[in-house]
Amino acid sequence: MEALSETDSTPQEGVPESVRRSLDHLMRSGEEFRLSVSSDIGLAGRYGAAWLLATDSLLIAFSPNGETPDIVHLPLADIRSVEIRELSGSGVMKVRTESRGATVAVFSKALIGKFSSVPKQLEILVKEATPEWRRGEGELVEGSVGAGRGKGKRCERCNRVIPHWWGVCPACLDKRKLITRLLSYTLPHRGMVALSLTLMLVGTFIGLTPPLLMKSLVDDVLTPVITGADAVSRAALTPVITGADAVSGAALKAAAAEASVSPVTTAERTRQLGVLVLLLLLVHVAQNGLGAVRGYIMAVIGQKVTFDLRNQVYRQLHRLSLSFYNERETGRIMASVTQDVGRLQDFISDGLQEVIRDVLTLLIICGILFYLNSGLAALVLLPTPFLVLATLKFGKRLHAIYRGLWRRWSGISALLADVIPGVRVVKAFAQEGREVIKFEGRSEALLSGELRVARIRSLFSPVMAFLTSIGTLIIWWVGGEEVIGGSLSLGEFLAFTQYMWRFYGPVESLCRLNHRFQRAATSAERVFEVVDTPPDVDDRAGAIQMPRIDGRVVFDGASFAYETGSPVLNELDFTVEPGEMIGLAGHSGAGKSTLINLICRFYDVQEGAITIDGHDIRDVTLKSLRDQLGVVLQDPFLFNGTVAENIAYGHPTASLDDIVSAAKAANCHEFVLDLPDSYDTLVGERGARVSGGERQRISIARAILRDPRILILDEATSNVDTETEVQIQEAFERLIKGRTTFAIAHRLSTLRHSSRLLILDKGRVSEIGTHEELIEAGGVYSRLCKIQTDMSKIRAW
Ligand SMILES: Nc1ncnc2c1ncn2[C@@H]1O[C@H](COP(=O)(O)OP(=O)(O)OP(=O)(O)O)[C@@H](O)[C@H]1O
Ligand SMILES: [Mg+2]
C-alpha cells in the first residue's frame, strides 16, 4: 500500500522497554508501534522524556511522570483533525475527535522540526484505521490554528513557505542570525559604537604593553644587578666553600669589578627604573580611564538598543491580532517584554563589549607571543582547541536548559498573571491552599532547572581551569628549560608567562560569556518571534481610508471559525440599512459576540465578505474603520485611571463638558458625582473599585463620547437594574438616530427599540425581522419571548 511506504519513512525511534511495559495493557499481543516520536516535555508541562506513539488502531501519548504515568489514548479512527500549535518557547500537538479535543504531545522548540512531519504521518495512519476512509468518505482536516492564520504564507525575507501553525518563518529564526540581527540594532548608534571601538582598540593596545615594559625592566635594568650581586656573593662565599680562613678585600673588589657594576651605570639604571615605573603608572591610568569611558558608552548603547527593542515589541504587540493573544498566556507575553528584553540589554552592554575586547586581546597576544618565541607560542595554543570544544559542548547543553528554564519562568509569570487578578474567585472558593501548591510545584520545577544549570556551570569552570593549567605547566617546563639553557632571557620568559595568563583570561572569559550568549540567543529568539509574527488582521497593501460611514452593513456569505473544523458562524447573509437598530439575540454561544467581533475586524472572515457602504472592510484601513465604531464589549474593561480618563479613552482630547454629557446619556453622571473625587476618582485596576453596573455605564459613556457612526452594544446593560436600563434606553433612543446600531441582549426588553431582530442559532441566522413578524413566525424568538415572562409588559412600554 502506498500509504504504508510513506509511514515507513517516519523516523521511528526506539521505544524504551519500560515504556512498552507501561503500555502493555493497551497493546494487542505482537502489536508493534507504527509511529514513535519522543518529546522533551510531558503532557503536564514538566520537562522530561515523553512519547507519542501509534499502533494500527490507537494513538497513545505517554509521559512517565513518576509512579503514575500520564497516558492518553484514543482510537485512531475517531480522530478528525490534527494540529500543531506553536506557543512561546514550545509547541503542542492537539487532536480533535467528534466530541473532544486532546493534547497529545508537548515539546520544546528544538523539536518543532521533528514534530512538523508527525501530523502527515498520523493522517496516513488514521486513514488506514478508518473504514470511511477506505471507502473514500470522511475528511480529516490537518489543522491550522484557525482564524485564517498563515496557511501557505511565504516568508517575506527568504520566500520559504511558513508552516501553517507557525507565525514566523522558522528558517529566519536561525540562532546564528539572531545575534547578527541583534547587532543590527546598534547601527543607528554607529557613531558611538565606532568611538567605543576606537577607545577599546587603544585601551587594549595600551593594556598589553606592561609585560613588554616588564621584560625591559628585567632584562635591561634588573638582571645585570642580579648577575653582579651574584658575582659578589660568589666571591664572599668562596672561602666557605674552599675552607679558606678569611676573605681578602682585594678578592671582593675584584669580584665587584668582575660584576662590572660601575656607579654611573647603577645611577643610570635607577633612572631607567624610575622611567619604567612611571610608564607603567601611565599605562594603568590610561587603560583604566579609557576603560571607564568606553564602559559608559557601551552601557548607553545597550540601554538605547533595548529601549528601541522594548518599544518595538510593545508596538508589535498592539499590531498583533486577538488570535495571537487567544493562543498565548498574558504572563508569558509579559515575560517576553520585560525579562527577555532585559537580558538582551545585559548582553549588548556587558556581554558584547567583553566579546569584542577579548577577541581583540587574543589576536594581539597571539601576534606578540609568536613574535617573542614561536615555538613556545605554539605550545600556548595547544589547549585552545580543547577549550573551544568543551565550550561548544557545554554551550549546547546550556542552551537547551535555558529554553526549559525560560518556560518555567514564564510559567510562573503566567500563573501570577492568571491567578492574582482572579484572587476574588480563589478566596470565594477557598482555594488558596491549592493555588499555593500549584505555585510551589512550578517554583520547584524552576529550582530543579536552575540547579541543573548550576551543576553544569560548576563542572564547566574547573574543566576549563584544568585545561588552562596544563598549558601553563607545559610553558613553565619548556620555557624554564630554555632559560636555563640560555636561549631565552629571563625578561622574555617572564613577559611570555604574563602574556600567556592574559591569553587564557580572555579564552576563559569567552567561554563564560558563552553562557550569557546562550541566554541572549534564547531571549532574542523569543523577542524576534513576537516581532516577526505577522498580524492575522492587518491593513492590506493599498488599503483605503474608510469614508464617513453611512451605515449600510452587508454580510455576504460570511463564515468564520476560531479553530478550523469547528465553524462558529456559517454563511451569514443579511443587509442592515443605515440608521437601523439591529437587536441580536440567540442562545448563549450562538455566535453573537463573534458576529460583532467580525464587524470590528478583530478577526477576518474566512469565507464571504462583510461590506460597509459597499466597501469590503478588509479593503479599508483598520484605524479609519474603528475610528467610526463605538463599542461596548460584553466584558467591559476599565483601565487603572480616573473616571474621566476612562470615559475619554477613545477621544483623549474631549472637554470635561463632552465627558459629562456622555456620562449623562449613559446614566452614570449621578453616581459619578457621588464618588469621593467625582470624575477624578480612580477606578482601580480593571475598574475594581466600581460596581459591575457602574463599569458598564462608564463604558457606554466611553462609546457614546466617540460619536460613532456604528454603535455596537454587547450586553451593554446586562448588569444594571431595570429602572436604570429604562433610563439608558431612553438616552439611546435619541442616540441611535442616524447611526446603525447592533445591540446584543439576552433580556429581550433591552431590544425593544430595535428596527429589526436578528436571531442567531448555532452560527446561522435563524430568523430576521421585526418583533411582530418574528412573533407571527412562531420560531425561536417567539419561544424566547414566551419564556421571558415579562414579555407582555415589554411591548406595552
Ligand atoms: N477566542 C475564541 N476562541 C475559540 N473559540 C471561541 C472564542 N470565542 C468564542 N468562541 C466560541 O465561539 C462560540 C460563539 O461564541 P460567542 O462569544 O460569539 O457567543 P455568544 O453568542 O456571544 O454567547 P453569549 O450570549 O454567551 O455571550 C462559542 O462556542 C465559543 O465557545
Ligand atoms: Mg457574547
Side-chain angles (χ1 to χ4, degrees):
M1 202 190 290
E2 190 196 323
L4 243 183
S5 63
E6 269 185 73
T7 320
D8 287 348
S9 69
T10 322
Q12 291 261 355
E13 297 173 42
V15 182
E17 209 34 58
S18 57
V19 176
R20 280 176 189 274
R21 268 200 306 277
S22 309
L23 299 176
D24 254 357
H25 62 289
L26 292 172
M27 314 272 292
R28 290 193 291 253
S29 69
E31 200 174 25
E32 272 306 313
F33 292 119
R34 301 276 309 276
L35 174 96
S36 53
V37 194
S38 66
S39 80
D40 48 0
I41 302 175
L43 293 179
R46 286 202 180 176
Y47 261 75
W51 290 84
L52 178 69
L53 306 157
T55 65
D56 279 330
S57 56
L58 271 188
L59 177 69
I60 307 168
F62 176 86
S63 323
N65 212 11
E67 290 286 291
T68 47
D70 274 344
I71 302 175
V72 173
H73 60 93
L74 66 169
L76 284 174
D78 287 355
I79 295 176
R80 290 288 168 268
S81 72
V82 186
E83 74 183 46
I84 286 190
R85 284 192 187 194
E86 182 262 329
L87 311 170
S88 293
S90 66
V92 293
M93 188 169 144
K94 294 192 168 196
V95 296
R96 196 171 270 282
T97 67
E98 204 67 70
S99 57
R100 67 179 184 127
T103 298
V104 291
V106 185
F107 44 88
S108 72
K109 260 193 176 168
L111 300 188
I112 204 120
K114 179 165 90 174
F115 271 86
S116 62
S117 62
V118 175
K120 206 88 232 136
Q121 306 302 331
L122 203 55
E123 185 181 343
I124 293 162
L125 292 177
V126 171
K127 282 180 186 174
E128 286 178 25
T130 315
E132 300 92 82
W133 275 107
R134 297 203 189 104
R135 293 199 306 269
E137 296 162 12
E139 184 190 7
L140 178 80
V141 186
E142 199 201 318
S144 77
V145 188
R149 190 111 113 85
K151 213 172 224 174
K153 266 189 222 161
R154 277 181 182 274
C155 172
E156 281 176 14
R157 221 168 310 134
C158 65
N159 205 30
R160 284 189 181 87
V161 175
I162 303 174
H164 54 259
W165 65 85
W166 195 289
V168 277
C169 172
C172 290
L173 263 184
D174 188 342
K175 266 194 302 304
R176 277 166 308 207
K177 291 182 192 157
L178 283 175
I179 297 299
T180 29
R181 182 158 170 208
L182 198 55
L183 290 183
S184 72
Y185 279 80
T186 58
L187 280 182
H189 315 287
R190 52 185 170 270
M192 271 161 68
V193 173
L195 177 64
S196 76
L197 277 178
T198 317
L199 289 179
M200 181 183 296
L201 216 62
V202 177
T204 311
F205 272 116
I206 294 178
L208 287 175
T209 50
L212 283 180
L213 291 175
M214 221 181 80
K215 171 183 170 296
S216 174
L217 192 73
V218 172
D219 279 353
D220 306 336
V221 181
L222 299 180
T223 315
V225 177
I226 294 165
T227 323
D230 192 34
V232 176
S233 64
R234 242 186 297 128
L237 285 174
T238 314
V240 183
I241 300 159
T242 56
D245 291 339
V247 183
S248 76
L252 273 178
K253 263 189 202 151
E258 181 198 326
S260 68
V261 186
S262 71
V264 181
T265 47
T266 308
E268 173 64 18
R269 287 203 178 98
T270 314
R271 198 188 60 78
Q272 280 180 4
L273 180 67
V275 171
L276 281 171
V277 170
L278 194 69
L279 268 177
L280 277 172
L281 177 73
L282 284 178
V283 163
H284 287 301
V285 170
Q287 192 190 359
N288 290 318
L290 289 178
V293 177
R294 191 205 58 215
Y296 176 70
I297 294 177
M298 286 310 282
V300 170
I301 296 172
Q303 292 292 354
K304 288 201 167 172
V305 167
T306 44
F307 169 81
D308 294 342
L309 203 56
R310 194 167 45 230
N311 294 347
Q312 188 186 7
V313 172
Y314 190 67
R315 248 194 326 271
Q316 171 72 2
L317 283 177
H318 281 289
R319 261 189 78 212
L320 285 165
S321 320
L322 286 185
S323 50
F324 177 85
Y325 294 93
N326 287 345
E327 287 153 24
R328 288 164 178 82
E329 290 154 306
T330 319
R332 289 185 201 272
I333 298 173
M334 277 159 45
S336 266
V337 184
T338 54
Q339 265 180 18
D340 287 333
V341 173
R343 268 190 203 145
L344 293 183
Q345 188 255 315
D346 176 51
F347 177 75
I348 294 169
S349 55
D350 299 333
L352 204 58
Q353 64 171 329
E354 279 173 31
V355 179
I356 299 174
R357 193 192 54 209
D358 289 342
V359 170
L360 203 69
T361 309
L362 281 185
L363 289 177
I364 298 173
I365 292 187
C366 243
I368 297 178
L369 286 181
F370 274 95
Y371 170 76
L372 285 177
N373 186 326
S374 50
L376 271 188
L379 286 177
V380 171
L381 292 182
L382 211 60
T384 317
F386 298 102
L387 290 179
V388 173
L389 268 181
T391 311
L392 291 180
K393 196 163 164 46
F394 278 104
K396 214 170 164 184
R397 290 205 59 182
L398 279 176
H399 188 54
I401 296 176
Y402 282 137
R403 271 207 179 126
L405 267 188
W406 183 85
R407 262 184 60 84
R408 291 171 198 204
W409 264 115
S410 63
I412 286 188
S413 314
L415 190 73
L416 288 177
D418 193 34
V419 175
I420 300 297
V423 76
R424 283 184 182 78
V425 183
V426 176
K427 289 199 185 301
F429 289 85
Q431 292 300 311
E432 292 94 335
R434 197 167 59 119
E435 290 300 339
V436 168
I437 290 172
K438 203 152 90 185
F439 184 85
E440 283 174 355
R442 293 203 185 182
S443 191
E444 206 177 294
L446 180 65
L447 174 74
S448 73
E450 292 281 10
L451 289 183
R452 246 176 97 199
V453 171
R455 226 171 16 246
I456 291 181
R457 287 183 61 194
S458 57
L459 190 69
F460 180 59
S461 301
V463 167
M464 303 304 277
F466 178 70
L467 287 175
T468 328
S469 63
I470 286 186
T472 54
L473 289 180
I474 295 174
I475 300 303
W476 277 99
W477 179 251
V478 180
E481 265 190 353
E482 285 190 20
V483 172
I484 294 170
S487 58
L488 189 70
S489 78
L490 186 61
E492 274 174 345
F493 178 69
L494 286 180
F496 209 91
T497 47
Q498 282 228 347
Y499 279 124
M500 183 183 69
W501 280 114
R502 283 167 190 238
F503 179 80
Y504 289 134
V507 172
E508 258 197 79
S509 125
L510 276 179
C511 297
R512 272 199 310 276
L513 248 166
N514 188 49
H515 117 259
R516 232 189 225 168
F517 177 90
Q518 297 296 345
R519 260 181 192 241
T522 324
S523 292
E525 193 175 287
R526 278 186 304 272
V527 169
F528 292 140
E529 181 194 322
V530 174
V531 171
D532 292 348
T533 304
D536 291 336
V537 179
D538 203 3
D539 289 344
R540 266 186 191 167
I544 57 158
Q545 293 286 319
M546 183 82 188
R548 187 180 151 82
I549 290 177
D550 258 352
R552 187 182 155 86
V553 181
V554 179
F555 274 65
D556 183 9
S559 297
F560 177 76
Y562 288 103
E563 295 190 29
T564 311
S566 28
V568 173
L569 293 177
N570 277 310
E571 294 175 18
L572 300 190
D573 263 311
F574 60 86
T575 302
V576 178
E577 296 302 336
E580 259 194 310
M581 173 176 174
I582 297 295
L584 273 164
H587 295 291
S588 180
K592 303 180 294 295
S593 299
T594 307
L595 189 147
I596 61 159
N597 282 345
L598 294 182
I599 300 176
C600 298
R601 260 197 98 194
F602 291 150
Y603 304 92
D604 273 338
V605 289
Q606 278 129 4
E607 273 166 47
I610 300 172
T611 62
I612 297 180
D613 298 344
H615 295 285
D616 187 324
I617 55 173
R618 286 167 296 187
D619 292 337
V620 298
T621 62
L622 279 171
K623 179 150 175 56
S624 67
L625 171 71
R626 290 188 190 151
D627 269 347
Q628 303 192 54
L629 304 180
V631 191
V632 181
L633 295 173
Q634 187 164 16
D635 189 12
F637 187 98
L638 300 189
F639 294 99
N640 192 3
T642 64
V643 173
E645 282 165 1
N646 269 291
I647 294 179
Y649 187 75
H651 185 11
T653 53
S655 67
L656 188 61
D657 282 348
D658 294 339
I659 292 175
V660 171
S661 40
K664 280 182 178 156
N667 206 354
C668 65
H669 182 63
E670 303 294 314
F671 92 78
V672 172
L673 288 186
D674 285 344
L675 292 173
D677 296 318
S678 73
Y679 281 91
D680 291 326
T681 312
L682 290 168
V683 296
E685 207 173 23
R686 293 159 196 252
R689 281 191 230 147
V690 290
S691 79
E694 289 165 349
R695 251 196 315 273
Q696 275 195 333
R697 280 180 276 165
I698 293 176
S699 48
I700 293 174
R702 178 158 70 191
I704 292 172
L705 184 64
R706 271 167 82 83
D707 188 20
R709 299 302 307 143
I710 296 180
L711 188 62
I712 292 170
L713 308 163
D714 193 350
E715 294 283 4
T717 49
S718 59
N719 286 336
V720 297
D721 58 274
T722 323
E723 199 184 323
T724 313
E725 192 188 13
V726 170
Q727 287 166 12
I728 298 177
Q729 296 282 329
E730 279 160 10
F732 271 156
E733 217 173 337
R734 291 191 304 278
L735 271 166
I736 59 179
K737 285 209 177 76
R739 51 188 116 214
T740 306
T741 306
F742 291 86
I744 298 176
H746 281 292
R747 196 155 67 193
L748 296 177
S749 62
T750 310
L751 305 177
R752 70 179 190 282
H753 295 300
S754 309
S755 338
R756 280 189 297 160
L757 291 147
L758 192 153
I759 313 301
L760 276 181
D761 190 27
K762 293 190 185 132
R764 291 181 189 277
V765 179
S766 70
E767 290 156 47
I768 185 163
T770 60
H771 170 78
E772 288 73 20
E773 284 167 7
L774 296 191
I775 291 289
E776 187 124 325
V780 181
Y781 180 74
S782 73
R783 255 202 326 278
L784 283 173
C785 282
K786 280 200 192 84
I787 295 167
Q788 297 196 2
T789 47
D790 57 345
M791 195 49 220
S792 53
K793 288 175 234 156
I794 292 169
R795 297 311 293 177
W797 278 339

